[in-house]
Amino acid sequence: MTAELLSGPLAAAPPAARPAFGEPPAVRRLLIGVALAYLGVFLLLPLVAVFTQALAGGVGAYIEALTEPDAAAAMRLTLLTAAVAVPLNVAFGLAASWCIARFEFPGKSLLVTLIDLPFSVSPVISGMVFVLLFGAQGLLGPWLREHDVQIVFALPGILLATIFVTFPFVARELIPLMQEQGAEEEEAAVSLGASGWRTFWHVTLPKVRWGLLYGVLLCNARAMGEFGAVSVVSGHIRGETNTMPLHVEILYNEYNMVAAFAVASLLASLALVTLAAKTVLEWRCAGELAAKAGH
Amino acid sequence: MSIDAIAITKRFGSYTALDGVDLSVGEGELVALLGPSGSGKTTLLRIIAGLEYPDHGTILFGGENALARHPRDRRVGFVFQHYALFRHMTVFDNVAFGLKVRPRASRPPPAEIRARVMGLLDLVQLGWLADRYPNQLSGGQRQRVALARALAIEPRVLLLDEPFGALDAKVRKELRRWLRHLHEEMRITSLFVTHDQEEALELADRVVVMSQGRIEQVGPAAEVYNRPASAFVYDFLGDVNHLEAVAEHGRLHIAGTGSGAGRCLGRIDGLHGPATLYVRPHDIELQPAPADDPAPARVLTVHGVGAAARVTVRVAGHRLEALVPHERLEGLVLQAGSPVAVRIARGAAFAKDGAGRPLALLPDAEPIEIQSFARPAAGR
């Protein structure tokens, strides 16, 4: 009887080295498989399609599509928009998170809610708001016409719309970070005689640099890739008020597939670079957080 | 530089952290603010540093109004419980920070900064760690760096907020001794906050006992320990036994039930009616029970480990803990259940008010056997 037990199923099963809270291997594999399939269909396949279509006409056609004057103008406009929107939003984000993390004031929760507003509003509405304010029939339309200032259907409108949709990124990244880090180091700096600016530059900024970089990355990706809001305010004037995403749309509507996908591949590359940088930062940040935990 | 806090009141919403607190710290003194959590001691320290502002009251540094100055101009060295070292700077840069951020006019040249910083690091015996980062140091080392950093600006006043609270017991003891030694050398007016009474009593020239936003007593360690001004101070410092008693015709009797109830503890003046007697464990003397005693006190437990034996006895329904030196223990036969006679060498009695709460009183008559505290505390 004992011999049977020892040679039966019990003998076959090795001592279980499974952690107490693990799923059985089959479930784990299933979940990972589903996640990979999801990623494959919604991420990899489109990316591969973009690059395949972009190079379908050969490298020569690819280069030509990118160096064409309207495309070049679109790239310049996109870069300019990002170069303006990102620094402004960094300044705003730092100021807002400093206020919110360090002070109590009436209207604080309202401010936090307002910062999240661009996320909950459709980008098209964000663009429409500026048309309603600054457009010819808008609230300030007559005044602007009098002073010969053009906001919508021109660069200022594009900048405003982009700033609006991207301003939460830096703030949302910094607020929880600053709240979690606390103000002790700043208090120490003040007690040692540092002015407000020096405290900010030497103590606060180094503390939040990785979170700040992360927010800048996200902000930049959105600023360059924004379509809806910019589409409403830009007027689609070829060579003047088209950013890269708008240019892709125009090319696509003209059935110029190779050119459309060529420009789109640039945006896709930007996405990949952003993703890579984000991963590196998270890895760096995790290192920092782990070091902090050793305090 | 002397510090004077006058009538400081601070409220956070509906919570009163400090209620009309007055404190004077003399030039070169080392004073401890001692009390449980919520007593207001850290709030008071932060107000003196300038990290908080009081709702009412004044702070004077050497007779000058300190509240009129921004914290960065007060030249106060502050040491935090969790060090607050600048995590992205080396130890050297941390200590040099206070000197480097001075306005150009008063900033020393780099060579002098270097000399001063290395001098301070040698003072705290950490010169060899100058190029390390804070997260590479142990807790004790970090706190010493924090102290060096605070001393770099040549502060007029040194404030420490539970400086050794985050360290383990052995390191705490070492740093305590070291801080005292440092203070004797440098003689900077220092104020530190602690909830550890051993630390306060060992380190400080004077101890300020605080509770619920008020100062209960101020005085040298010996005075605060041996002549507590209130029931709170008696309870907070050292171990204490409570005995319910009744004072009648100048004599104090144990209240309670069981063997020993009604026994006379000794003479007392100026007290009538129900009272609580506070007795330190080392003031309880145990003697062999007389053979003819019908209801002696009984021993409950004997714990012989340590400098003196801890013996718990039951008297009149009360459980008392006595500290018996080992030499005395030999002469007595003490086991659980053995009869014993209890004598109170010294104690403090506090009258109960109508609600049965002990009231704070001050010593009045010279003690013979029992001290009675008959006058209400006048906020000493």
Side-chain angles (χ1 to χ4, degrees), chain A residues 181 184-196 198-199 202-203 206-207 209 288 291-292 294-295, chain B residues 46 51 70-72 76 78 80 82 84-89 97-98 100-102 107 135 142 149-150 153:
Chain A
Q181 285 178 338
E184 270 203 349
E185 287 183 37
E186 282 87 353
E187 285 182 344
V190 168
S191 73
L192 290 168
S195 67
R198 279 187 182 274
T199 305
H202 292 287
V203 178
K207 270 206 292 181
R209 61 186 172 188
E288 294 244 314
K292 196 159 74 100
H295 257 226
Chain B
R46 287 171 63 89
L51 300 174
H70 194 279
R72 77 172 77 98
V76 167
F78 201 98
F80 294 80
H82 296 287
L85 294 179
F86 304 129
R87 64 190 86 173
H88 298 287
M89 298 186 200
F97 186 82
K100 287 190 188 161
V101 295
R102 281 198 189 159
R107 199 184 307 167
N135 64 4
R142 280 181 216 174
R149 182 178 69 173
I153 58 168

Side-chain angles (χ1 to χ4, degrees), chain A residues 41-91:
Chain A
V41 168
F42 288 102
L43 225 57
L44 284 174
L45 230 51
L47 275 176
V48 168
V50 166
F51 282 102
T52 317
Q53 289 272 26
L55 295 165
V59 180
Y62 183 79
I63 306 275
E64 206 195 301
L66 295 179
T67 51
E68 192 253 317
D70 287 339
M75 282 183 237
R76 278 197 302 272
L77 188 57
T78 297
L79 286 172
L80 177 63
T81 307
V84 171
V86 172
L88 282 177
N89 283 327
V90 165

Side-chain angles (χ1 to χ4, degrees), chain A:
Chain A
M1 170 87 163
T2 329
E4 265 175 49
L5 277 173
L6 286 176
S7 62
L10 285 178
R18 257 196 307 137
F21 294 104
E23 287 86 32
V27 176
R28 246 182 287 159
R29 282 186 216 125
L30 181 65
L31 288 175
I32 292 175
V34 167
L36 283 177
Y38 195 85
L39 275 176
V41 168
F42 288 102
L43 225 57
L44 284 174
L45 230 51
L47 275 176
V48 168
V50 166
F51 282 102
T52 317
Q53 289 272 26
L55 295 165
V59 180
Y62 183 79
I63 306 275
E64 206 195 301
L66 295 179
T67 51
E68 192 253 317
D70 287 339
M75 282 183 237
R76 278 197 302 272
L77 188 57
T78 297
L79 286 172
L80 177 63
T81 307
V84 171
V86 172
L88 282 177
N89 283 327
V90 165
F92 167 78
L94 279 170
S97 53
W98 178 262
C99 281
I100 290 171
R102 299 277 175 262
F103 300 104
E104 292 298 324
F105 52 90
K108 177 165 146 173
S109 29
L110 183 65
L111 182 62
V112 176
T113 313
L114 283 178
I115 288 178
D116 273 346
L117 193 67
F119 280 166
S120 46
V121 168
S122 159
V124 170
I125 305 296
S126 315
M128 278 234 31
V129 163
F130 290 104
V131 174
L132 288 172
L133 267 180
F134 303 117
Q137 278 81 38
L139 218 57
L140 297 171
W143 186 89
L144 289 169
R145 210 170 345 160
E146 258 177 58
H147 294 82
D148 204 22
V149 174
Q150 182 75 11
I151 295 196
V152 290
F153 311 138
L155 179 63
I158 295 176
L159 290 176
L160 281 174
T162 310
I163 291 171
F164 180 81
V165 297
T166 54
F167 84 64
F169 286 102
V170 175
R172 274 170 59 103
E173 200 52 47
L174 290 179
I175 290 172
L177 185 62
M178 284 184 142
Q179 281 175 329
E180 191 238 328
Q181 285 178 338
E184 270 203 349
E185 287 183 37
E186 282 87 353
E187 285 182 344
V190 168
S191 73
L192 290 168
S195 67
W197 173 252
R198 279 187 182 274
T199 305
F200 178 76
W201 187 255
H202 292 287
V203 178
T204 312
L205 223 45
K207 270 206 292 181
V208 300
R209 61 186 172 188
W210 298 121
L212 185 62
L213 231 51
Y214 195 91
V216 164
L217 217 55
L218 296 178
C219 184
N220 179 61
R222 184 63 188 270
M224 289 193 173
E226 174 57 28
F227 180 77
V230 175
S231 177
V232 172
V233 294
S234 91
H236 298 256
I237 303 170
R238 227 184 261 257
E240 268 181 46
T241 59
N242 271 330
T243 56
M244 276 168 73
L246 298 183
H247 192 61
V248 170
E249 193 208 12
I250 288 182
L251 290 171
Y252 188 80
N253 285 337
E254 292 174 343
Y255 297 97
N256 193 349
M257 291 305 163
V258 170
F261 279 101
V263 181
S265 72
L266 275 185
L267 287 170
S269 308
L270 170 71
L272 288 172
V273 167
T274 303
L275 213 62
K278 188 170 160 288
T279 310
V280 167
L281 267 181
E282 276 172 346
W283 173 73
R284 273 305 289 267
C285 237
E288 294 244 314
L289 287 170
K292 196 159 74 100
H295 257 226

